[in-house]
Amino acid sequence: MFRLAHLSDPHIGPLPRPKWRELLGKRATGYLNWRRGRHRAHDMDALAALVDDMREQRPSHVAMTGDICNIGLPAEYPLAAEWLTTLGPPKEVSVAPGNHDAYMRSSLPHMMRDFGPWTSGDDGEQGFPFVRRRDGIAIIGLSSGVPTLPFVAAGKLGREQLARLAAILRATRDEMRVLLIHHPPVDGGGNIRNLRDHRAFAEIVREEGAELVLHGHSHSISRKCLAGPRGPIPVLGICSASSIGRNPRRRAAYYLIDIDPSTRRMTMAVRQLDKAGQFHQVAAAMAACVR
């Protein structure tokens, strides 16, 4: 049995002290939002407890679907990379970047440099989508994070990445395929938060197939599906890994997904932070056979 852990949106803090020239454009509004209260919604002790609990479950691989950073400051990326090492070695951890990781155009070189060990395929090459094959499972990482205007958190894959995704899905159709993406690949959230090319994404997986899609961004537990050539494809969203909000659907949580490549079945459970600061299983479901 292959055990996959899925977490997202840790929003690592505290935020490094920015230089005044770094607070231009979108970073200025993001910094104000962080100072006005966003930092109180993300607790690093809760995040550390989640990582400890997750590692006790001994996952075979960890999927991290983005928003490790906050406003794309150059100093954030080495801290993010240091935190990623707590999840496991790069060969056992795959990252799909989010919009806060790709906050501004000037952020992208830092993201690609410091996230490189976790966003490279088995061939060692960087770029999206990347593919990592583990025990009969193809883990496919996408990047929907793109620089946007202030107050816009939308994502986009783009034609080139979508074309490569179609080719990869076609080449891996005999394997269990798990797609990692930050933005929910389903409609909802409006133009300022949506994956703008979600319809093109849905059409590709409808034609070429996949077995599971994991995402973040919405900071809540969600279970939806996309149409596939052999039936519905589960699409799972998860809370922020550092959230301490009052809403139980938004408190820090992660998925544990047990996959049997021989039978192509998956068992899913959520482990979530309770009021006492402990993690426990709160939901479980058996996904339909997708053979």
Side-chain angles (χ1 to χ4, degrees), residues 90-91 93-95 112 115-132 134 139:
K91 67 179 182 179
V93 181
S94 296
V95 174
M112 295 302 292
F115 288 8
W118 296 273
T119 59
S120 300
D122 289 335
D123 57 5
E125 296 294 323
Q126 278 192 271
F128 300 98
F130 64 83
V131 183
R132 293 175 162 193
R134 302 290 186 271
I139 300 167

Side-chain angles (χ1 to χ4, degrees), residues 60-157:
S60 310
H61 201 83
V62 177
M64 227 303 303
T65 51
D67 277 4
I68 307 171
C69 297
N70 294 288
I71 60 172
L73 291 169
E76 287 188 79
Y77 296 93
L79 296 175
E82 182 179 354
W83 176 77
L84 281 169
T85 64
T86 69
L87 304 182
K91 67 179 182 179
E92 296 175 7
V93 181
S94 296
V95 174
N99 52 293
H100 282 268
D101 303 316
Y103 206 71
M104 297 180 67
R105 291 189 183 278
S106 61
S107 304
L108 298 179
H110 301 281
M111 181 186 81
M112 295 302 292
R113 180 195 66 206
D114 291 318
F115 288 8
W118 296 273
T119 59
S120 300
D122 289 335
D123 57 5
E125 296 294 323
Q126 278 192 271
F128 300 98
F130 64 83
V131 183
R132 293 175 162 193
R133 288 178 165 90
R134 302 290 186 271
D135 299 336
I137 297 167
I139 300 167
I140 302 168
L142 297 148
S143 179
S144 61
V146 291
T148 60
L149 295 172
F151 308 110
V152 176
K156 185 177 181 180
L157 293 169

Side-chain angles (χ1 to χ4, degrees), residues 141-257:
L142 297 148
S143 179
S144 61
V146 291
T148 60
L149 295 172
F151 308 110
V152 176
K156 185 177 181 180
L157 293 169
R159 291 183 180 180
E160 291 186 9
Q161 192 174 179
L162 286 167
R164 290 195 295 269
L165 173 62
I168 289 169
L169 292 176
R170 200 172 302 125
T172 56
R173 62 179 53 181
D174 293 330
E175 303 170 64
M176 291 283 287
R177 296 157 297 179
V178 179
L179 306 186
L180 312 182
I181 184 171
H182 179 69
H183 290 79
V186 290
D187 201 4
N191 290 333
I192 65 170
R193 291 190 59 81
N194 247 358
L195 179 68
R196 288 176 171 163
D197 42 12
H198 65 90
R199 291 185 179 87
F201 176 90
E203 180 62 21
I204 287 171
V205 299
R206 187 185 70 81
E207 291 289 333
E208 306 297 344
E211 282 60 61
L212 180 63
V213 181
L214 302 176
H215 71 83
H217 191 60
S218 59
H219 290 205
S220 63
I221 299 169
S222 65
R223 293 174 182 163
K224 299 183 179 180
C225 66
L226 288 171
R230 294 182 290 188
I233 299 167
V235 178
L236 306 181
I238 196 63
C239 307
S240 162
S242 60
S243 174
I244 53 172
R246 294 181 179 179
N247 186 337
R249 289 185 60 83
R250 291 182 173 270
R251 291 180 69 84
Y254 66 98
Y255 273 107
L256 281 177
I257 304 162

